[in-house]
Amino acid sequence: MSIDTNPPSPLSPLTPEMAIEMYRKMRLIRRFEERVIDLVNANAIAGVTHEYIGEEAIAVGVCSALRRNDVISSTHRGHGHIIAKGGDVKRMIAELFGRVTGYNRGKGGSMHIADLALGIYGANGIVAAGVPIAAGAAWAARIQKSGVVAATFFGDGGANQGVVHETMNLAKIWKLPLLFICENNQYAVTTPASYSIAGPGISERAAAYGFPGIRVDGMRVDQVYEAVREAVERARAGEGPTLIECMAYRFQGHFTAERALSLSYRSTEEMEYWRAKDPVITWGSALEEQSILSATAREAIHVEIEALLEEAVEFGQQSAWPEAEEALTDMYVTTYPGLPARGVAWNSN
Ligand SMILES: Cc1ncc(C[n+]2csc(CCOP(=O)(O)OP(=O)(O)O)c2C)c(N)n1
């Protein structure tokens, strides 16, 4: 694994405004997730959430290189992707609270947030299932000549799913404007990537399908951005897919409740090594050191984010629960013989 240890040099290839906006987004994702952990621990949010803390540079680097109408598909660890693509934190929190004002009217929760207007084709609880969904969007973009590019996020564990290989094969054959973004955070639950990845690595697998595969430092938002920007250019020019493997680390457990399980599959040294590369802190400090962002302006961003999250939590808590009669609404896109019509209760007799 080659990780660049040089300090970030934020202004290449970014403008100061972009560099600051990237910091703001990464910080928002970080604080959103910390807030969610507190709410889950306080039993204010039911169900399971998977935190993205430590991986913020990937979502922000990727989505900063995409246009609003470009498409992403996400994973079970999707909060960061959705915020980076412009998702509304109020509707996200409301969804986590199960309220009717949430993205899925309270019926989807953390792992199913979608916003088609923003090109967010869904978080997904099934590992790697978002990959062919993005391929479908890329295929539509190709035949409609819309210029839209699709990016799909998946983990190192997800990289071993058969559907990823099938999709890579078709993406090359059909020259799809598709970006495979592998978030290699080193573990699939407790299984290390070093144990489960055959061959030289994930990015090298693209060579088998005849398209570019590269590995970047996923703790560096500028490096992720630059790699994605080039891949987007290729995709829009009709040159097909790219695989970008982002080396990163999840600072939290696999899911919120893991702390209570006292699992010991990661060493303290390993965690400290990666913590020193914290993408949010190192980027903020680099911006400050290079006088792109003053300490006062940085603090103002933090204050603004706290207010935004406060408002979001208040909004979620004050929102109504969905009505029981709505339980089946929007569950089925089409009516098939034997399945209930939209919004009609199932009658098994
Ligand atoms: C098809 C499928 N198999 C197994 C699971 C259970 N599961 C949920 S997350 C996960 C690990 C995923 O690891 P990775 O793809 O590396 O993503 P990460 O959690 O590290 O972000 C597993 C095995 C699932 N949700 N879907």
Side-chain angles (χ1 to χ4, degrees):
M1 181 174 62
S2 68
I3 289 287
D4 185 354
T5 49
N6 295 324
S9 55
L11 284 186
S12 173
L14 307 169
T15 64
E17 292 73 26
M18 288 168 78
I20 292 169
E21 180 56 15
M22 286 172 165
Y23 177 69
R24 201 188 71 78
K25 281 233 166 97
M26 287 197 289
R27 173 81 186 190
L28 177 58
I29 295 169
R30 174 68 54 92
R31 292 295 299 136
F32 177 92
E33 297 255 279
E34 287 172 349
R35 201 70 204 254
V36 166
I37 292 174
D38 290 345
L39 291 165
V40 170
N41 288 341
N43 285 328
I45 289 173
V48 174
T49 59
H50 303 79
E51 273 67 46
Y52 196 60
I53 292 176
E55 303 180 54
E56 295 89 344
I58 307 175
V60 174
V62 170
C63 292
S64 302
L66 297 177
R67 295 181 188 153
R68 185 185 159 94
N69 68 341
D70 287 331
V71 168
I72 62 164
S73 68
S74 177
T75 66
H76 55 287
R77 204 176 296 289
H79 303 156
H81 308 142
I82 293 153
I83 293 175
K85 192 69 174 47
D88 176 354
V89 291
K90 282 167 83 172
R91 292 179 70 193
M92 289 175 73
I93 291 273
E95 185 58 39
L96 297 180
F97 276 127
R99 305 306 166 98
V100 75
T101 51
Y103 262 117
N104 303 68
R105 297 186 65 78
K107 290 185 282 184
S110 171
M111 286 189 279
H112 301 100
I113 295 177
D115 186 340
L116 302 190
L118 290 173
I120 301 168
Y121 281 24
N124 205 312
I126 301 170
V127 170
V131 175
I133 291 173
W139 174 240
R142 229 208 82 174
I143 55 180
Q144 290 167 350
K145 299 190 171 43
S146 63
V148 163
V149 166
T152 180
F153 295 92
F154 56 99
D156 42 280
N160 292 329
Q161 286 282 37
V163 70
V164 174
H165 294 270
E166 289 178 48
T167 309
M168 285 184 181
N169 188 51
L170 288 175
K172 171 64 184 185
I173 288 171
W174 292 338
K175 283 199 169 176
L176 296 185
L178 181 59
L179 276 46
F180 294 89
I181 310 292
C182 179
E183 305 185 302
N184 188 342
N185 64 10
Q186 325 283 332
Y187 291 90
V189 191
T190 56
T191 304
S194 55
Y195 167 83
S196 60
I197 306 295
I202 295 167
S203 62
E204 284 82 354
R205 291 176 179 178
Y209 300 103
F211 61 85
I214 52 170
R215 181 173 293 118
V216 297
D217 183 345
M219 309 301 266
R220 286 279 302 272
V221 70
D222 53 339
Q223 296 196 5
V224 176
Y225 170 80
E226 188 50 17
V228 174
R229 198 184 58 76
E230 276 173 25
V232 166
E233 249 170 47
R234 292 186 60 255
R236 284 205 216 284
E239 290 169 29
T242 305
L243 166 62
I244 299 171
E245 180 184 9
C246 306
M247 305 306 292
Y249 200 71
R250 70 169 151 72
F251 291 175
Q252 298 291 313
H254 171 66
F255 67 135
T256 333
E258 187 184 296
R259 191 174 298 189
L261 303 175
S262 304
L263 302 178
S264 57
Y265 60 96
R266 304 191 288 183
S267 71
T268 311
E269 295 72 31
E270 179 182 290
M271 289 200 271
E272 282 172 359
Y273 169 82
W274 287 97
R275 279 236 172 240
K277 294 176 173 295
D278 187 314
V280 187
I281 293 175
T282 54
W283 188 249
S285 304
L287 293 182
E288 242 188 273
E289 278 155 25
Q290 295 172 47
S291 304
I292 295 163
L293 182 66
S294 69
T296 320
R298 188 175 178 186
E299 184 53 31
I301 291 174
H302 296 178
V303 171
E304 176 227 325
I305 286 171
E306 294 314 305
L308 184 64
L309 292 174
E310 207 48 54
E311 194 192 332
V313 172
E314 179 75 13
F315 172 76
Q317 272 167 339
Q318 299 300 325
S319 295
W321 298 98
E323 299 290 338
E325 296 74 50
E326 271 197 42
L328 290 177
T329 311
D330 298 325
M331 287 291 160
Y332 307 101
V333 173
T334 319
T335 305
Y336 294 99
L339 282 179
R342 296 179 76 180
V344 174
W346 175 259
N347 179 359
S348 57
N349 296 321

